[in-house]
Amino acid sequence: APLEVPCEQLQRFRFRNLFASLFAGHDLTMQMYSDLGNALEEISPNVNYLILAANYHASNPPVVMLLGELEP
């Protein structure tokens, strides 16, 4: 089954600026990267800067690191 972006967990955050890094193993796909980027843009429609990176790491399941400045 394809992995789902944890939208419910992300809903509580609204970012002004965000660096997000996706860590996944051999199951890393462009679709996962795209889905995460779309979800982050959706929860923070007023974001000024959003940088998303994908990294190979033996994380199972995949994990996301978020470093950002929250909206006031």
Side-chain angles (χ1 to χ4, degrees), residues 6-15 43-44 70:
C7 292
E8 285 182 25
Q9 293 166 315
L10 293 173
Q11 283 297 329
R12 68 188 118 168
F13 301 107
R14 296 285 186 273
F15 291 99
I43 64 165
S44 293
L70 296 172

Side-chain angles (χ1 to χ4, degrees), residues 29-46:
T29 65
M30 286 302 295
Q31 188 64 51
M32 290 168 60
Y33 180 80
S34 177
D35 289 348
L36 177 59
N38 289 337
L40 292 172
E41 287 179 340
E42 198 170 296
I43 64 165
S44 293
N46 300 320

Side-chain angles (χ1 to χ4, degrees), residues 6-70:
C7 292
E8 285 182 25
Q9 293 166 315
L10 293 173
Q11 283 297 329
R12 68 188 118 168
F13 301 107
R14 296 285 186 273
F15 291 99
R16 176 182 292 170
N17 299 299
L18 176 63
F19 171 75
S21 190
L22 171 62
F23 295 91
H26 292 293
D27 54 350
L28 177 62
T29 65
M30 286 302 295
Q31 188 64 51
M32 290 168 60
Y33 180 80
S34 177
D35 289 348
L36 177 59
N38 289 337
L40 292 172
E41 287 179 340
E42 198 170 296
I43 64 165
S44 293
N46 300 320
V47 69
N48 292 326
Y49 296 100
L50 171 59
I51 298 171
L52 177 58
N55 305 275
Y56 174 77
H57 188 273
S59 297
N60 190 12
V63 295
V64 176
M65 178 182 67
L66 302 175
L67 300 172
E69 176 186 12
L70 296 172

